[in-house]
């Protein structure tokens, strides 16, 4: 083998030629947002991430987090500069091994300028070293997605959670696989998504290594550090289950365990409707936070202790596990498509009620429809495009589920359940919109459905009784019959106080 020795200046020139071909367009900065009209600054343009490797160290006593994030990505344009979404303090950035300059801008933007421009289609490795106190950081509007607990902290929120613990392209359009390695003091556990690959202890610290081997949206990545009671098992279908419960849940511990320990059973039941469970791990965790919501963090949903304040609550477990297909496996193209997530997860709760003998999906639909007068503001929210201010409004859930019952009545059970099972397979590990779902439903049912979806998802008023059979209400002396389960389901359907607009959503999931 012969090596050709080049002078330093010639080598630099050759490197630049490799970075940007002569025929390429002039390099330009990647957009500071991915193009979502609800959240213009979320996500970024110019590249696509395939994998995140996060190597972290966390001190629960002080809430200090330090880490090195390595992102594997590929450029999608000739790129002079690009952004990551992040809030903590950055000490160094490298792109393909070379130090890069960086500045922070806007609400949560880390602007990175590589040493040389990058050609479209270039594989890049981005290394970001950082540290900070996540609970001290607030986004515009004064909210945080990092929840401090008595013995640590947890990252879980929607539509943003990553900013507080790792730099990312924070939008569901850019999914990636994850390795999350977290070092914590002995006696403390670190919980994340996927499978626990290994643990090791040294010098008073224990390292937990977690892996998510299927594409995952950044807001679905989670981290919790604290002292947990951890249970393990296997679902009947053979999926390993890891659940974790804060040791200081008090009188809510029993109800939480009585609910979440049924995760394997519920996931197997849901697979009858939605197809095989799409991941190699199952579970859930309950840190001692004071939020009121749960979240479908991939493979291992986050639950608040408040979800179990009134006793066991399998409904919320059904909801978050249904999201593993509807929201996680198939994610939104844009946040206006939130009905694809929430309407289906709510409808899964209605199917579970039917399964448990506590009221059929039709009975619950009839009751929901009849319970709100035509002048109720509930009907003014359009689930198919609710606007960012109503993204997690109760109407997206309940009116969203009413849409599915109307669809079921219109096309019949055979076509309806074929759609429920076929949709996650058609768009597996990808993204889809409300319009995509309408087209798919028309394809499977062989019926025009524009009027039905227009009425139930986009009409800013209560659909008339003639609009869909789901509106026919069983009555006794003019009063709607209340399904046996509906008191349980409706118990948390009131609007509660919430920390910020994202918290409005998951208050309604019981």
């Amino acid at each position: 083998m012969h090596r050709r020795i080049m002078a330093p200046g010639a080598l630099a020139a050759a490197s630049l030629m490799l970075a940007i071909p002569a025929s390429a367009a002039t390099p330009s900065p990647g957009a500071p947002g991915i193009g979502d009209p609800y959240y213009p600054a979320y996500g970024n343009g110019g590249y696509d991430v395939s994998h995140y490797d996060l190597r972290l160290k966390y001190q629960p006593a002080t809430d200090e987090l330090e880490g090195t994030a390595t992102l594997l990505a590929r450029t999608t344009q000739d790129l002079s500069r690009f952004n990551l979404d992040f809030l903590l303090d950055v000490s160094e950035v490298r792109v393909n091994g070379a130090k890069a300059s960086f500045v922070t801008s806007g609400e949560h933007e880390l602007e990175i300028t590589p040493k040389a421009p990058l050609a479209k289609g270039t594989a890049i490795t981005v290394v970001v070293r950082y540290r900070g106190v996540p609970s001290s950081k607030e986004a515009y509007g004064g909210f945080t997605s990092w929840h401090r607990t008595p013995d640590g902290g947890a990252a879980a929120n929607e539509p943003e959670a990553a900013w507080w613990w790792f730099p990312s392209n924070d939008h569901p359009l850019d999914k990636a696989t994850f390795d999350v390695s977290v070092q914590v003091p002995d006696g403390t556990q670190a919980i994340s998504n996927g499978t626990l690959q290994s643990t090791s202890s040294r010098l008073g610290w224990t390292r937990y290594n977690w892996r998510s081997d299927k594409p995952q949206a950044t807001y679905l990545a989670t981290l919790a550090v604290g002292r947990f009671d951890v249970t393990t098992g296997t679902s009947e279908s053979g999926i390993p289950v890891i659940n974790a419960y804060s040791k200081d849940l008090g009188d809510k511990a029993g109800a939480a365990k009585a609910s979440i320990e049924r995760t394997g059973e519920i996931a197997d039941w849901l697979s009858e409707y939605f197809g095989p469970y799409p991941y190699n791990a199952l579970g859930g965790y309950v840190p001692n936070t004071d939020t009121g919501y749960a979240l479908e963090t991939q493979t291992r949903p986050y639950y608040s202790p408040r979800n179990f304040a009134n006793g066991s609550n399998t409904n919320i477990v059904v909801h978050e596990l249904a999201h593993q297909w509807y929201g996680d496996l198939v994610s939104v193209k844009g946040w206006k498509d939130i009905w694809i997530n929430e309407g289906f997860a709510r409808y899964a709760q209605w199917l579970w009620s039917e399964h448990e003998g506590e009221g059929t999906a039709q009975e619950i639909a009839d009751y929901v429809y009849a319970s709100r007068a035509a002048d109720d503001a509930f009907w003014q929210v359009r689930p198919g495009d609710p606007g960012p201010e109503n993204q997690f409004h109760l109407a997206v859930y309940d009116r969203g589920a009413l849409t599915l019952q109307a669809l079921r009545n219109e096309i019949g059970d055979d076509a309806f359940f074929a759609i429920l099972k076929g949709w996650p397979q058609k768009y597996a590990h990808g993204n889809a919109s409300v319009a995509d779902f309408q087209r798919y439903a028309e394809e499977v049912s062989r019926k025009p459905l524009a009027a039905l979806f227009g009425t139930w998802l986009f009409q800013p008023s209560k659909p008339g009784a003639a609009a869909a059979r789901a509106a026919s209400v069983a009555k006794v002396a003019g009063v709607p019959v209340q399904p046996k389960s509906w008191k349980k389901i409706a118990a948390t359907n009131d609007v509660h106080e919430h920390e910020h607009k994202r918290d409005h959503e998951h208050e309604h999931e019981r």
Side-chain angles (χ1 to χ4, degrees), residues 272-500:
E272 297 174 13
Y273 292 96
F274 300 155
Y277 180 73
Y279 307 112
N280 64 354
L282 264 171
Y285 75 96
V286 190
N288 190 12
T289 62
D290 60 0
T291 65
Y293 59 84
L295 185 67
E296 61 269 21
T297 43
Q298 193 161 302
T299 72
R300 190 150 293 109
Y302 159 90
Y303 301 96
S304 164
R306 284 171 56 190
N307 298 141
F308 309 101
N310 297 323
S312 63
N313 187 358
T314 53
N315 269 294
I316 202 165
V317 178
V318 170
H319 188 107
E320 303 309 328
L321 290 179
H323 276 312
Q324 303 306 305
W325 288 266
Y326 283 85
D328 296 9
L329 179 62
V330 182
S331 300
V332 297
K333 277 186 177 176
W335 284 111
K336 72 182 181 65
D337 300 308
I338 191 66
W339 171 73
I340 292 291
N341 296 10
E342 302 305 345
F344 290 78
R346 175 66 99 212
Y347 195 77
Q349 292 176 263
W350 294 5
L351 293 174
W352 178 252
S353 172
E354 193 166 315
H355 172 72
E356 294 289 274
E358 297 181 338
T360 68
Q362 183 66 64
E363 288 173 335
I364 297 172
D366 288 343
Y367 185 78
V368 169
Y369 178 87
S371 295
R372 294 185 179 274
D375 60 356
D376 193 313
F378 171 92
W379 299 109
Q380 296 173 17
V381 176
R382 303 179 306 148
D385 188 1
E389 70 283 359
N390 288 319
Q391 183 181 346
F392 301 120
H393 192 281
L394 180 59
V396 176
Y397 293 69
D398 281 355
R399 185 172 172 179
L402 283 172
T403 303
L404 292 173
Q405 186 63 34
L407 175 65
R408 180 179 176 180
N409 291 339
E410 176 68 22
I411 66 177
D413 278 6
D414 288 348
F416 179 75
F417 288 110
I419 289 168
L420 287 193
K421 187 171 287 187
W423 170 263
Q425 303 309 311
K426 180 176 178 66
Y427 290 97
H429 306 299
N431 304 77
S433 67
V434 173
D436 291 329
F437 183 83
Q438 179 184 319
R439 282 191 292 269
Y440 182 71
E442 290 176 333
E443 175 187 320
V444 173
S445 68
R446 299 184 179 181
K447 287 191 173 186
L449 297 170
L452 184 147
F453 285 110
T455 296
W456 288 94
L457 291 181
F458 296 100
Q459 177 179 300
S461 60
K462 185 174 183 175
R469 297 170 202 164
S472 62
V473 182
K475 293 186 178 182
V476 176
V479 179
V481 174
Q482 187 179 59
K484 289 182 290 184
S485 67
W486 194 244
K487 284 186 179 179
K488 290 201 302 181
I489 295 173
T492 55
N493 278 356
D494 304 338
V495 176
H496 297 285
E497 279 189 276
H498 50 278
E499 297 165 24
H500 59 90

Side-chain angles (χ1 to χ4, degrees), residues 204-239:
W205 293 80
T206 301
R207 182 169 291 279
Y208 293 81
N209 298 299
W210 295 89
R211 173 167 293 168
S212 299
D213 67 350
K214 294 289 190 264
Q216 177 175 283
T218 46
Y219 85 95
L220 297 173
T222 193
L223 173 66
V225 177
R227 297 179 182 272
F228 294 95
D229 289 325
V230 178
T231 66
T232 61
T234 305
S235 72
E236 192 172 0
S237 61
I239 307 297

